[in-house]
Amino acid sequence: MKHMKLGSKPDLFQTEGGNIRFVATELATDIVISIGDVKFYLHKFPLLSKSSRLQRLVAASNEESNDELDISDIPGGPSAFEICAKFCYGMIVTLNAYNVLAARCAAEYLEMFETIDKGNLIYKIDVFLTSSIFRTWKDSTIVLQSTKSLLPWSENSKVINHCIDSIASKALIDPSEVEWSYTYNRKKLPSENGHDSQWNGVRKQVTVPKDWWVEDLCDLEMDLYKRVITMIKAKGRMPAIVIGEALRAYAYRRLLGSLEDDVSNGVDCTKRRAALETIIFLLPNEKGSVPCGFLLKLLRAACLLEAGESCHDMLIKRIGTQLDGASVSDLLIPANSSENSLYNVDLIIAIVEEFASQDSDNGKMNFQDDEEIVEVEKHSSVSSTSMLSVTNLIDGYLAEIAKDSNLPLSKFIALAEMVPPASRKMHDGLYRAIDMYLKEHPSLSKSEKKVLCRLMDCKKMSQDACMHAVQNERLPLRVVVQIIFFEQIRASVPSGRSDAAAELASAHSAVHSLLPRENGNSYGSSRSAATTTTEEDCTGVPTSNDVNSFRSMRLANDSGGSERSSGSSDINKSGNDDKSSSKPKGLLTPKKILSKLWSGKTNAGENSSSDTSESPGSVNPEEVKSTRSLNTRHSVP
């Protein structure tokens, strides 16, 4: 830290009783300066020779025959005045980053200008600030922190502007040229700690990260921090991702820490609300400059602090442009206290709508030349990848909010239907969410179950998901029948038999012929309102033997030479039959399988216990991105 010594005489100031200060000389004091409850017993001559303000005050007090002056409004208080008084006496004074601004403001108050005496205090302090303080990173930040308690004097003296310009200029220096000390929370290298067994004794110079300066600025108050970041952005040379990292670090330090506890305990969060609005205002416009998870944390804070609609709208738009970078845990924003639900699903729906609108807007680009067409094609592929990520994200989010017993079915369906069908390549995640919703909402009517299960396409479910579904007694019978039917299709299509189409048609007819009858008539392919209700009246699950039979179904391969296992001891081993007409004996026809299924459905004693089973998505859940600790920050290399 830089410092400057003024004066040459020994310090003769002494204190008596804590509130009385005087100069230990043989000369009697002839003036008393009062600052609050502290009194200084001093001499007029050295003070008046350097202070215009004291000259006027003494002249006025002589007319009133009063030797005591009250200057309680002096900036910096008694300690700053003592520095000025010692300078007047020529005593040794040491100025540093912690006291120089207070002394500068007090000297301004006392009007210690060059017009009164050559080499007066204001001049010497300004030289010290310019030649030392403003050239040092640490000293500039320390001085800037002390300006708030000295307003408006620090603002009028232009010290704040000089500090801000100095800090912004140093933050923009190439990291390779940074040689001064700075605060950074990175872990030291093993060679720096001396714990590296492979260290050869040559200490390598540590590379300075681009965001080396962000930790030190976190100590600034919000208004000063805003001015510094604005100045850095105005200079136009700082990468947007570094500014985003600075805002993220400041938010964790000043805003997000213990926010939920403070709000729940009724602590006044006015300052935090102002900090939130400022951080949102300072966010760089460039996409990806801040992580999507951080934006969602800001949105969560905006809900807790009841920030204005403009904050919500701005964050929703920003999150919508990069929703593919979010995790399920980021989306679990609690609902307002006035709502019965656990999570704010309406907010997520608005974000997904924004994402969808961004995706549609991106496709509306002008095709003016070949180069522009190439750019659109590249962007389209990225959009497809993003949509796939968002689809998996939404399915995972649906599985989490499905556990909320107060979640309305309409919101669940609305969010699930926001995903374009083409982007949902697999329906395992959606099946897991639907199964979870059925489990947590046992009071759903049969018609509601039908509407819910209509979201699911059993043709896009994996074999594991299908095997779980046929044992799931929470699913309506029609859904289980469809799953078995399409598994038959999946097994029959690659068989290469010429009668595959006929077999599938037969299986399709079997599906409907084996459904329960109403008034003695079997159901056809049409789904009228009259038949739907009766179909839903029959619910249940297949027996374990039926499931094992279903699992063992295999068809002959293209060569027809391999044997097929069906769980039965009667296996066709001839291998010489005509491939176009023969069927393996181990394979149950669709009608036989559905007959066994229906018999299992009507046997209540043989129902499988799927209540205790886990859906396949819960066995191998989608990896959820981990959120950073509030006290951990990674550097921007």
Side-chain angles (χ1 to χ4, degrees), residues 180-243:
W180 50 80
S181 173
Y182 61 90
T183 301
Y184 193 70
N185 66 353
R186 65 174 178 82
K187 294 181 179 180
K188 289 186 177 182
L189 300 175
S191 59
E192 293 180 285
N193 294 325
H195 298 155
D196 189 2
S197 59
Q198 303 298 325
W199 183 43
N200 58 7
V202 178
R203 193 176 300 279
K204 295 181 180 180
Q205 183 178 2
V206 179
T207 303
V208 176
K210 294 179 181 179
D211 58 346
W212 60 267
W213 49 272
V214 305
E215 297 288 344
D216 286 334
L217 296 191
C218 288
D219 295 330
L220 297 176
E221 293 296 329
M222 189 69 250
D223 52 345
L224 294 174
Y225 184 82
K226 177 182 178 180
R227 293 175 64 174
V228 172
I229 297 297
T230 302
M231 176 68 73
I232 292 175
K233 293 175 67 175
K235 292 182 180 292
R237 301 197 304 273
M238 182 65 67
I241 191 172
V242 179
I243 294 177

Side-chain angles (χ1 to χ4, degrees), residues 427-491:
H427 279 224
D428 288 16
L430 182 60
Y431 165 66
R432 178 184 173 228
I434 291 174
D435 182 41
M436 184 62 66
Y437 194 90
L438 292 172
K439 182 177 180 179
E440 297 296 330
H441 300 77
S443 60
L444 285 180
S445 66
K446 296 172 184 177
S447 59
E448 289 175 330
K449 288 182 179 181
K450 178 179 179 180
V451 173
L452 178 62
C453 292
R454 191 177 293 167
L455 296 171
M456 187 171 53
D457 187 351
C458 53
K459 296 190 296 295
K460 294 184 178 181
M461 291 170 58
S462 67
Q463 187 175 10
D464 290 340
C466 289
M467 295 310 302
H468 182 278
V470 297
Q471 303 175 74
N472 193 343
E473 65 181 6
R474 290 185 285 270
L475 295 178
L477 171 63
R478 173 175 290 274
V479 176
V480 178
V481 170
Q482 287 176 342
I483 291 173
I484 295 178
F485 172 64
F486 286 115
E487 274 299 302
Q488 279 291 94
I489 294 179
R490 188 183 304 180

